[in-house]
Amino acid sequence: MAPAVPQNPTPANVVSLLPKLNDADADLRYMSLNDLYNVLNAGSPAFLSNDYHTCAKTVECLLKTLDDSHGEVQNQAIKCLGALSLKLPTDILPPLVEKLTNLKTTHSVDSSISATALRTFIISYPRPLSGVTPSKVTQDAYAAINKVLIPRLVGYVVIPHGLKNQPDPPPGMLEIDQEKGVDSDAIDVLIELIRCFGPMLQEPEKHALLKAIMGVFDNDRTSTVIKKKAVIAISVLAGYLSDRSLSTFVSNTIESFQGNDLPLAKRRLLITMVGSLARSIPQRLGPHLKVLAPYILQVLSEEEYDEAMAELAEAGAPNPELEEVREAALVALDGFLASCSNDMRLFTDEAVAAALRYVVYDPNNATDEDDEMGGTQGNDSDEDDTNELRDDANNEDEDFEEEGAMSDDDDASWKVRRCAVKALYSIISTRSNGDLLDNGVLYDKIAPVLINCFKEREENVRLEILTTLTALIRKTGEGISLPSLNGDRGVDVTASYASNSRKRRRENSNVGALDSLGTLTKPVGLASPAETPSPVSGPKADLARLCPTIVRELTRLLKQSSIPTKQGAITVLYHMVLVRHGGLSEYLGQIADPVIDAVRSSSAHPGFASASGGASATGGKLRIDALQLVSAICDTHSSRALDPYIGHIVPGVIAAVKDKYYKVSSEAIHVVESLISVLTPPRSAGTEQKYLSHLVSLYDVILSRIIATDADLEVRQRAIHALGVLLGRIAGLNNSKLISPAKKSNAFNVLQDRLKNETTRLSAVQAVGIVCASAREKEDLQPEWVRVVTLELGAQLRKADRILRGTSLAALKNLTANPIALAGLDDKTVYNLAGVLLPLVNANDLNLLGLALAIFTKLVQRSPKKVVDEGLKNALCAIVLNPLGGAVLDAFLGLVRVIGEHGVGQPLMYSLLKNVGVNGDLAVVGKAIGTLLVAGASTVGVKIDDFTLELRNSNDEKRQCLALSVLGEAGLRLGSSSPSQLQPNVFTSHFHSKSDQVPRAAATALGRAGAGNINTYLPVILSSSDMSGSSQYLSLHSIKEILQYAGKARTDLSPYTKQIWEKLIIASQSEDNKAVGAECIGRLTIIEPKTFLVLLYRYLQDPDPTVRGMVIQAIRFTFSDSDDSFDEILKPMLIDMLTTMLNDTNLENRRLALGALISATHNKSHIILPHLAQLIPLVMKESKIKPELVREVQMGPFKHKVDDGLEVRKSAYETLYSLMEGAYTRVNPADLFDRVVAGLEDEHEIKVLCNLMLTKLIVLDPEESIQHLDAVADRFRVILAFKPKDNAVKQEVEKAHEASKGVLKVTVLLHNAFPSASSNATNVHGQAWKGYWESVVKEFRTQLSAMEQEIKNEAT
């Protein structure tokens, strides 16, 4: 057993291990090196720094061990060298580097051991950061690199350090040897050097390194592999070049492009280098593209294409070097389009033309490509399409076999075509929103060519074509709200449009877990989907025009044997159905058979993948995608359109339900739910009898899956849910014959039985909720069954599982809300149910409380004397001790009203007055008492006079506020029948009370009473608004209450609206009244939008910034509570209004405008999204630091910087965060990431927001997230390296700690999402992130472990 590592190692522990490194036994040498490694890691940073002799001896031993004949010993020696480097004195580092550079191996066959050791030495030190002083050990390491390594790499001393007569260094490691050429390992060392120490490199060193790399790059004797490494080195170094150096480098590159007789190989390398730079430094290279891009596009130009085709005709075979140049040019073009999309707008036409030209490039194909690019045959008649398909059905396999036979192993043209398709993908991804999609370029030029290229013989290219067309269709549907047609399942068909990732996904990602059902408030049963008419113009109209051709060509693909191609074709069809909301009624005859054949295809080996299609292209995945397509078609097409194909669809789906692969079976049951909706009324009204056999078959297969003991749990759960949907759809006398009574009774018994099974209970609860909500006749539900399931559902309310409790409450709400189900409950069941519900009547969980109160309301109506007892009374009184609002308050007041109406409210009234009184939330208690007072009338034991007397005689502020609240609520509910003593002066007389609370309570109560009796109260309130000071402020609150209630109850305010408007405009200009006045103006605008919306628009031009700010706030209030009629008036002017607001000259108004944009995006997305491209640049502009807004103020002896633009900037980031959640597809990903990365260098609040944005972007756009990992890593390093000063105040220390914690959390999330980026970065991308992750793991191991656990806890 190896000796334990001492807790505090000394140099003696190191010396004791050194003799063993020369032992003849390789295992002993390895174990000794392992012990040495552990000792070095355990030792303090300075435990060897004063023992020069031990250090030198250890270095010599390790250098000797590097030449060991055993590879594992060498590897362990390299690890020890990295650990030792951090402990060595400064004086030993330069000699160590020199010896490593001159290391010659005689016993080892690995000639790269020296370079590997140098790289380990370089990466062992903490990486320096721009703008942050590096640590001492890093400075020492750089000194050694500066003195020794860089001169050894380039072959001369770059910075002489004042020393004279220095000997010349030996030939540079990067110099080209006449016999051996360039050492590939030296370039690896150079790349690591730049990556780790780039921020510390001085300008002469950068120039020297660049010169050395370019010498390798330009030399004709250098191999292709080494030149590719040189390209990576150039891309890494370019990030640290100054603007002047970069400009010089670009100029030299341009001169190289302009050289006479430029060899093809050199041309390809130059193009590859420029493309790599575009991905590594897109922001800095972007301005140079106006000069560089033409040289890339020249390679792809029509002139060179024609010349090459002429040479091809003469030579009979394509030039392989020219093919490689074209491939490199298309890869570079793709990089330009993806990373520098804004800078490439100048070359849009050329880029599109070049990509289209080479999409159809095939030197082995004798057909005329120009004919293929000429357009589509979208105007062919359906009869022609059908005849053509009938002919193709017999010859399809032969055609593809012939095309396959034409493929030549030496033909690399497919790579050119694939790169061209990828370039088109980037164009579609970055230039669609409000750009090329809207002006028709994508559908007029690109889509027809893609469709015609479905005949591509190389499957890799064909899959890219299908993926690109799918992206175009998805872009067409982005921002369109597509309602779910399957009410039984609550499927959100817009969920698949949440991502704008440029990742080319060949698989469809819409397979989800079992859908959780929310509260159903209406019976299941939807009319047949109406055929959505195609728009006259726009992207959806363009898609509709191409639909016949797309379907025809996809049908051909579905008939071939390739699984990946079938899967890609089905994915295209699926997104067409979603975007067009159906639209395939005319073509179902073409696609029905091949799609159902895909559903039926064997999945005996679900894990088997096609060699060319990737891991995602499996038989099981194909069936799942085909089933999703069938489900989407059923949800979006009428039963009449589906009728001819039901006989073919149902057996195929049933076969899939029986499949052994649980994912296929589960998805097939999902389709069964859609089919049930198709086969049952009201969708199949009048024709349901012809579907009896199919319904019975579906019933049988569902039931068999539920009771099958060998079925997967997910399959059984979905089957239970489907059974609930079936029972819900056949409810009603007219549907009683669809399923026999015996089968129906058996189904109810199965649901009741599964309700008692713990594993299937949740699904059974959901199914019961559907059944109870759908009952329409007494015969639909047996009273005994209702009672049993009611008590079983009630029993679940005691369980610890909150999801189960919430779902059970939702089912009980459906049951009690349906009079048919409620009638089946007897008094005993009602009493027992009330008992189990009572513990939920508390304010600890407001979500469950609202449902419980709604159920109690129905139970009180059913059996008031059984339900309203001492327990319920005490629970209700306990609730009002807390503030309530929204739906919970409405449910509470609804229950109180029902209690009063049924004459059992006196005990509750007594308890509210005596036991609660002024101890509860006065507003809630007052509303409860006022509601009970009016609803119970004479049965509650008190009258309105008692409260007016209390208000008049009491001197207690709280009692006065409570009395005012009661009277206000009573006045609202009594309306014009209010007693004569309840007049406005009862409330206005307390406006001038010396209390802080009474005037506000009086104003609110006056408004609520006035909402019930407009003609009596409103004139008095308006007269008060003419006064100045507090009376005007209070009158605005009263008006707010009236307008708020009038908007909900549709009260007629037309005789007073003009007068209210005038009063509000005047009163709201006071700073104290601005907020409440703006809300009032907004609510009044909602009531009469035709009159006041135009006036608000005009006020945005007012010269007074206070008025403009008030108007902006008012407009924001209109977004959340308005309806469709308001939207029709708002739509033509909303974008102009927002543009005007965002361009306001006042900082505070721009901040308010950003908040208004957030509200508009959430509530008026259908208006905003199509025009968001006009608004986003204004938001981006506000997110940038503006130096003119930063000023310096004197605070005692210190000077302090104040950023007046911080609040606006913070609002801009909040707006971007909001847009990510609801409109990410309309935001340019590259621009957004630029702002997020910049925000990580901003103030603390903005850093927090940017961390949140990064966590969202990991899911929304994984590929773009990977592209920016290096930039994020650099900013994270700076945040983690920041240490507050010793005299920093507590707030600064807490901010620094919070910032570090937030960075570590996002770091863990990024690592978990992209683990390969933290370990396998092999090129310029990801190198900075890899080094950052390694350093974080080393320095923050404990914090990372805690963060991992925290993330797991949040996930569960």
Side-chain angles (χ1 to χ4, degrees):
M1 179 179 291
V5 177
Q7 191 171 8
N8 295 304
T10 64
N13 300 119
V14 175
V15 172
S16 65
L17 294 171
L18 297 181
K20 301 177 183 179
L21 301 184
N22 297 319
D23 196 274
D25 187 350
D27 290 338
L28 184 59
R29 296 199 302 273
Y30 176 83
M31 294 304 299
S32 300
L33 285 168
N34 187 63
D35 293 341
L36 177 61
Y37 177 74
N38 293 330
V39 168
L40 291 172
N41 279 332
S44 65
F47 90 107
L48 287 177
S49 59
N50 296 321
D51 194 335
Y52 191 94
H53 177 73
T54 300
C55 291
K57 189 174 182 180
T58 306
V59 168
E60 289 298 330
C61 290
L62 287 178
L63 290 174
K64 182 177 180 181
T65 314
L66 288 176
D67 192 23
D68 199 280
S69 59
H70 288 77
E72 292 184 0
V73 175
Q74 286 181 311
N75 292 338
Q76 197 65 22
I78 289 174
K79 289 176 61 178
C80 291
L81 186 64
L84 177 65
S85 300
L86 297 172
K87 316 291 184 183
L88 292 175
T90 305
D91 296 340
I92 293 184
L93 292 180
L96 171 61
V97 174
E98 184 175 4
K99 290 181 179 181
L100 287 175
T101 59
N102 295 318
L103 181 66
K104 304 295 182 183
T105 57
T106 57
H107 300 93
S108 173
V109 296
D110 186 2
S111 60
S112 66
I113 196 71
S114 172
T116 305
L118 281 170
R119 290 166 60 197
T120 303
F121 171 83
I122 293 170
I123 64 177
S124 63
Y125 290 93
R127 291 182 57 180
L129 301 174
S130 300
V132 178
T133 303
S135 61
K136 184 179 184 305
V137 290
T138 303
Q139 292 179 7
D140 294 340
Y142 170 69
I145 290 170
N146 173 277
K147 293 178 182 178
V148 180
L149 183 55
I150 293 178
R152 281 290 290 115
L153 285 171
V154 300
Y156 59 91
V157 177
V158 179
I159 300 177
H161 300 286
L163 300 177
K164 298 181 180 179
N165 301 321
Q166 294 185 82
D168 293 332
M173 298 166 65
L174 292 173
E175 291 184 6
I176 302 171
D177 187 89
Q178 294 296 327
E179 296 180 0
K180 298 180 180 180
V182 178
D183 185 3
S184 172
D185 299 324
I187 300 182
D188 293 333
V189 174
L190 173 63
I191 292 173
E192 209 66 58
L193 166 63
I194 300 170
R195 183 174 68 86
C196 294
F197 287 89
M200 297 184 71
L201 293 176
Q202 302 175 52
E203 280 301 313
E205 294 171 327
K206 296 175 188 177
H207 286 294
L209 293 176
L210 181 60
K211 181 180 178 181
I213 300 171
M214 293 306 298
V216 174
F217 185 84
D218 293 332
N219 191 277
D220 296 334
R221 300 183 59 220
T222 308
S223 68
T224 303
V225 174
I226 293 178
K227 287 188 176 182
K228 287 182 179 179
K229 286 188 176 183
V231 169
I232 296 174
I234 293 170
S235 299
V236 177
L237 181 59
Y240 301 105
L241 293 178
S242 65
D243 292 339
R244 183 175 179 180
S245 298
L246 181 62
S247 298
T248 302
F249 175 74
V250 171
S251 299
N252 293 335
T253 303
I254 293 171
E255 291 179 3
S256 299
F257 273 118
Q258 294 172 343
N260 296 328
D261 299 327
L262 183 65
L264 290 176
K266 180 64 176 296
R267 193 179 190 187
R268 175 176 58 82
L269 283 171
L270 288 172
I271 292 172
T272 302
M273 180 184 68
V274 174
S276 182
L277 289 174
R279 288 180 168 87
S280 63
I281 51 169
Q283 288 183 315
R284 300 184 65 194
L285 189 70
H288 299 284
L289 286 184
K290 59 184 177 182
V291 182
L292 283 172
Y295 295 104
I296 311 301
L297 293 169
Q298 178 63 33
V299 178
L300 307 172
S301 65
E302 187 174 3
E303 294 80 7
E304 293 206 11
Y305 178 84
D306 292 339
E307 291 177 6
M309 295 307 291
E311 293 178 6
L312 175 63
E314 294 178 4
N319 184 347
E321 282 192 313
L322 184 58
E323 302 268 304
E324 292 178 357
V325 173
R326 289 170 174 165
E327 181 185 355
L330 286 166
V331 171
L333 180 62
D334 183 25
F336 293 168
L337 294 168
S339 303
C340 312
S341 57
N342 290 334
D343 300 287
M344 283 298 291
R345 289 178 179 271
L346 292 172
F347 307 101
T348 298
D349 294 340
E350 294 89 339
V352 171
L356 290 177
R357 185 175 298 116
Y358 284 95
V359 164
V360 296
Y361 170 70
D362 190 355
N364 286 345
N365 195 342
T367 59
D368 186 1
E369 306 293 356
D370 293 336
D371 294 341
E372 291 192 9
M373 293 179 61
T376 66
Q377 299 174 3
N379 296 325
D380 290 353
S381 66
D382 294 340
E383 183 178 353
D384 293 339
D385 290 343
T386 305
N387 293 335
E388 187 175 350
L389 285 170
R390 191 178 297 116
D391 296 336
D392 291 339
N394 300 323
N395 303 320
E396 191 66 38
D397 294 334
E398 296 178 7
D399 290 344
F400 275 98
E401 288 175 6
E402 290 174 3
E403 288 180 358
M406 293 175 63
S407 179
D408 186 358
D409 291 339
D410 296 330
D411 177 28
S413 64
W414 66 271
K415 297 180 181 180
V416 175
R417 295 195 297 275
R418 186 180 63 178
C419 292
V421 178
K422 289 182 177 181
L424 290 177
Y425 186 100
S426 294
I427 291 172
I428 292 170
S429 299
T430 59
R431 297 293 307 279
S432 54
N433 297 333
D435 194 358
L436 301 184
L437 182 64
D438 293 339
N439 65 19
V441 170
L442 298 184
Y443 273 106
D444 292 342
K445 293 185 177 181
I446 296 177
V449 177
L450 290 175
I451 296 167
N452 282 326
C453 288
F454 285 174
K455 299 176 183 179
E456 167 66 46
R457 68 175 187 274
E458 287 289 339
E459 187 162 57
N460 283 331
V461 183
R462 191 161 62 241
L463 292 177
E464 288 289 348
I465 291 169
L466 291 171
T467 302
T468 303
L469 184 61
T470 300
L472 176 56
I473 294 173
R474 286 168 63 95
K475 286 290 184 181
T476 305
E478 285 175 356
I480 300 173
S481 178
L482 302 178
S484 172
L485 291 175
N486 195 335
D488 307 336
R489 289 160 47 188
V491 181
D492 180 10
V493 294
T494 63
S496 61
Y497 297 106
S499 174
N500 188 32
S501 171
R502 292 203 282 262
K503 186 174 183 179
R504 298 167 178 90
R505 302 180 183 271
R506 289 173 184 163
E507 66 273 9
N508 185 12
S509 59
N510 294 291
V511 181
L514 180 65
D515 298 309
S516 59
L517 189 73
T519 305
L520 293 178
T521 57
K522 59 183 180 180
V524 181
L526 298 172
S528 210
E531 191 73 23
T532 304
S534 297
V536 178
S537 61
K540 292 190 72 175
D542 296 334
L543 176 60
R545 175 173 50 84
L546 292 176
C547 188
T549 310
I550 295 175
V551 172
R552 184 183 66 235
E553 298 300 327
L554 290 176
T555 305
R556 289 174 176 166
L557 295 181
L558 287 171
K559 291 182 179 180
Q560 65 168 308
S561 59
S562 166
I563 288 178
T565 297
K566 286 183 178 180
Q567 188 175 333
I570 285 174
T571 301
V572 174
L573 286 172
Y574 176 79
H575 287 97
M576 280 182 62
V577 172
L578 293 188
V579 171
R580 297 198 63 207
H581 198 55
L584 296 185
S585 299
E586 301 177 13
Y587 318 107
L588 291 178
Q590 300 177 36
I591 65 174
D593 289 344
V595 170
I596 296 302
D597 288 344
V599 170
R600 290 176 178 272
S601 62
S602 173
S603 64
H605 303 286
F608 175 75
S610 169
S612 60
S616 66
T618 64
K621 186 66 175 67
L622 171 64
R623 299 185 71 188
I624 291 171
D625 286 353
L627 287 166
Q628 288 179 346
L629 174 59
V630 173
S631 179
I633 290 173
C634 291
D635 291 343
T636 55
H637 292 78
S638 66
S639 297
R640 180 177 298 178
L642 294 168
D643 179 73
Y645 318 103
I646 292 296
H648 194 191
I649 294 174
V650 172
V653 173
I654 289 176
V657 173
K658 297 177 181 178
D659 195 87
K660 293 181 180 180
Y661 185 34
Y662 78 97
K663 289 187 177 181
V664 172
S665 180
S666 178
E667 190 62 40
I669 295 173
H670 218 158
V671 182
V672 167
E673 295 186 22
S674 299
L675 284 171
I676 290 171
S677 300
V678 172
L679 302 178
T680 53
R683 285 188 61 174
S684 64
T687 61
E688 61 270 15
Q689 295 301 320
K690 65 188 294 187
Y691 300 135
L692 287 180
S693 61
H694 296 311
L695 274 176
V696 172
S697 299
L698 294 176
Y699 167 85
D700 291 338
V701 74
I702 291 172
L703 206 63
S704 68
R705 293 282 84 189
I706 294 175
I707 63 178
T709 56
D710 60 339
D712 187 84
L713 178 60
E714 181 182 335
V715 173
R716 282 182 284 149
Q717 289 174 338
R718 285 225 174 179
I720 292 169
H721 189 271
L723 183 61
V725 172
L726 177 59
L727 293 175
R729 295 288 298 198
I730 62 174
L733 287 176
N734 295 332
N735 302 332
S736 59
K737 297 180 180 180
L738 296 180
I739 297 292
S740 67
K743 290 182 179 292
K744 189 174 179 181
S745 176
N746 186 34
F748 277 104
N749 292 334
V750 168
L751 277 186
Q752 181 179 324
D753 179 64
R754 291 300 177 266
L755 199 59
K756 300 175 183 178
N757 187 302
E758 186 174 354
T759 60
T760 58
R761 182 173 289 144
L762 182 61
S763 298
V765 169
Q766 295 172 341
V768 168
I770 294 173
V771 173
C772 292
S774 306
R776 285 174 277 175
E777 304 290 345
K778 293 181 180 179
E779 291 75 11
D780 292 335
L781 297 174
Q782 294 299 319
E784 182 63 28
W785 183 85
V786 174
R787 294 166 194 159
V788 172
V789 299
T790 299
L791 294 178
E792 192 64 39
L793 291 172
Q796 311 313 314
L797 302 181
R798 298 171 180 168
K799 300 294 177 65
D801 188 343
R802 188 177 182 279
I803 296 177
L804 179 59
R805 282 187 290 143
T807 308
S808 300
L809 267 180
L812 285 170
K813 182 177 182 294
N814 292 338
L815 189 151
T816 55
N818 191 329
I820 304 298
L822 186 62
L825 301 180
D826 56 13
D827 288 346
K828 181 180 178 181
T829 306
V830 170
Y831 178 78
N832 291 333
L833 179 58
V836 296
L837 276 173
L838 195 58
L840 298 179
V841 184
N842 62 73
N844 295 333
D845 192 328
L846 295 181
N847 291 326
L848 299 183
L849 173 60
L851 289 172
L853 293 174
I855 297 170
F856 261 116
T857 301
K858 296 298 181 180
L859 295 181
V860 171
Q861 293 174 338
R862 176 70 174 78
S863 301
K865 294 184 179 179
K866 286 283 186 181
V867 177
V868 183
D869 56 9
E870 190 73 14
L872 179 61
K873 180 194 70 175
N874 293 336
L876 293 177
C877 289
I879 289 176
V880 297
L881 297 175
N882 304 280
L884 300 177
V888 176
L889 179 59
D890 292 340
F892 172 74
L893 295 178
L895 175 57
V896 171
R897 177 182 57 79
V898 170
I899 292 174
E901 290 173 347
H902 286 76
V904 290
Q906 186 170 358
L908 178 60
M909 176 65 82
Y910 180 80
S911 184
L912 287 172
L913 291 173
K914 183 177 180 181
N915 300 332
V916 180
V918 296
N919 296 320
D921 184 278
L922 297 179
V924 177
V925 176
K927 289 180 179 180
I929 295 175
T931 301
L932 190 58
L933 180 64
V934 175
S938 60
T939 64
V940 295
V942 293
K943 301 178 181 179
I944 290 180
D945 293 344
D946 298 328
F947 294 99
T948 56
L949 186 63
E950 174 78 9
L951 179 62
R952 188 164 51 248
N953 296 334
S954 177
N955 293 323
D956 186 277
E957 293 181 5
K958 291 187 175 181
R959 290 184 178 276
Q960 288 180 342
C961 291
L962 178 59
L964 286 166
S965 181
V966 171
L967 294 173
E969 192 67 24
L972 171 66
R973 296 183 179 274
L974 289 172
S976 58
S977 60
S978 298
S980 57
Q981 63 268 34
L982 194 59
Q983 295 297 317
N985 65 314
V986 173
F987 306 99
T988 56
S989 61
H990 291 80
F991 274 19
H992 302 288
S993 172
K994 296 181 180 179
S995 167
D996 294 333
Q997 301 177 2
V998 173
R1000 179 69 176 272
T1004 303
L1006 175 63
R1008 291 190 70 79
N1013 193 350
I1014 296 292
N1015 294 329
T1016 301
Y1017 282 78
L1018 190 53
V1020 176
I1021 296 173
L1022 291 176
S1023 64
S1024 298
S1025 66
D1026 291 332
M1027 304 177 186
S1028 59
S1030 62
S1031 295
Q1032 188 181 63
Y1033 176 76
L1034 294 171
S1035 67
L1036 290 178
H1037 278 280
S1038 299
I1039 292 174
K1040 184 186 78 171
E1041 293 291 332
I1042 291 177
L1043 294 174
Q1044 186 172 355
Y1045 183 81
K1048 295 179 180 178
R1050 305 292 182 184
T1051 306
D1052 183 18
L1053 288 178
S1054 55
Y1056 303 97
T1057 52
K1058 185 176 180 181
Q1059 187 179 0
I1060 295 174
W1061 175 268
E1062 294 172 352
K1063 304 283 186 183
L1064 289 176
I1065 291 295
I1066 296 173
S1068 300
Q1069 295 187 28
S1070 170
E1071 190 62 33
D1072 292 338
N1073 301 338
K1074 183 178 176 181
V1076 64
E1079 183 176 353
C1080 291
I1081 292 172
R1083 296 192 181 280
L1084 182 60
T1085 304
I1086 294 173
I1087 295 173
E1088 282 195 20
K1090 291 183 179 179
T1091 305
F1092 300 119
L1093 198 56
V1094 177
L1095 294 179
L1096 275 183
Y1097 188 20
R1098 292 175 185 170
Y1099 272 113
L1100 287 175
Q1101 310 295 337
D1102 193 280
D1104 188 349
T1106 302
V1107 174
R1108 297 199 304 272
M1110 178 268 296
V1111 171
I1112 293 171
Q1113 288 179 284
I1115 292 173
R1116 178 182 178 180
F1117 277 113
T1118 65
F1119 296 147
S1120 56
D1121 295 330
S1122 51
D1123 54 15
D1124 293 340
S1125 60
F1126 179 87
D1127 292 351
E1128 290 300 318
I1129 302 170
L1130 175 68
K1131 187 175 181 179
M1133 61 181 76
L1134 177 58
I1135 304 303
D1136 290 339
M1137 292 171 73
L1138 289 170
T1139 303
T1140 303
M1141 291 189 285
L1142 291 170
N1143 283 315
D1144 198 287
T1145 56
N1146 184 270
L1147 272 177
E1148 176 62 15
N1149 287 350
R1150 292 206 299 275
R1151 186 187 69 80
L1152 295 173
L1154 290 166
L1157 177 57
I1158 295 175
S1159 180
T1161 306
H1162 284 170
N1163 299 291
K1164 307 297 178 187
S1165 58
H1166 59 290
I1167 304 176
I1168 289 289
L1169 291 184
H1171 307 281
L1172 204 56
Q1174 304 175 33
L1175 303 173
I1176 289 178
L1178 301 177
V1179 181
M1180 295 285 188
K1181 182 177 71 173
E1182 296 300 335
S1183 69
K1184 298 176 181 178
I1185 297 177
K1186 298 180 179 178
E1188 65 272 16
L1189 296 179
V1190 179
R1191 53 192 173 88
E1192 199 173 68
V1193 297
Q1194 191 81 23
M1195 298 181 67
F1198 306 103
K1199 290 184 178 180
H1200 179 64
K1201 286 187 177 181
V1202 176
D1203 187 353
D1204 293 330
L1206 176 60
E1207 291 301 318
V1208 179
R1209 204 160 62 251
K1210 188 164 67 172
S1211 296
Y1213 274 98
E1214 290 171 352
T1215 306
L1216 291 175
Y1217 180 77
S1218 175
L1219 291 174
M1220 283 172 51
E1221 294 183 324
Y1224 181 74
T1225 55
R1226 296 282 168 174
V1227 182
N1228 186 308
D1231 292 343
L1232 178 62
F1233 266 96
D1234 289 343
R1235 299 316 312 146
V1236 172
V1237 171
L1240 293 173
E1241 300 175 311
D1242 211 315
E1243 296 296 328
H1244 174 72
E1245 296 86 351
I1246 296 177
K1247 289 177 183 175
V1248 172
L1249 278 171
C1250 289
N1251 283 334
L1252 291 174
M1253 294 169 77
L1254 282 173
T1255 61
K1256 291 278 186 185
L1257 288 167
I1258 293 172
V1259 179
L1260 291 175
D1261 202 340
E1263 181 168 289
E1264 198 71 38
S1265 298
I1266 292 177
Q1267 293 290 331
H1268 289 81
L1269 280 179
D1270 286 354
V1272 170
D1274 291 339
R1275 275 66 179 183
F1276 278 4
R1277 280 179 179 273
V1278 175
I1279 296 173
L1280 293 177
F1282 174 75
K1283 305 296 180 188
K1285 297 179 181 179
D1286 295 337
N1287 60 348
V1289 297
K1290 182 181 178 182
Q1291 186 180 13
E1292 291 181 357
V1293 176
E1294 290 176 349
K1295 280 186 177 182
H1297 175 71
E1298 184 182 351
S1300 298
K1301 185 177 178 182
V1303 163
L1304 290 175
K1305 183 174 183 179
V1306 180
T1307 298
V1308 172
L1309 291 172
L1310 287 167
H1311 170 71
N1312 293 343
F1314 317 112
S1316 60
S1318 304
S1319 57
N1320 298 324
T1322 57
N1323 53 28
V1324 63
H1325 302 301
Q1327 290 287 349
W1329 174 261
K1330 179 185 175 184
Y1332 164 73
W1333 172 253
E1334 291 170 351
S1335 65
V1336 167
V1337 170
K1338 186 185 301 182
E1339 299 175 27
F1340 301 93
R1341 185 177 298 277
T1342 305
Q1343 294 94 318
L1344 284 181
S1345 300
M1347 200 58 63
E1348 285 273 13
Q1349 189 60 44
E1350 180 180 329
I1351 292 172
K1352 290 180 181 178
N1353 295 338
E1354 290 177 357
T1356 55

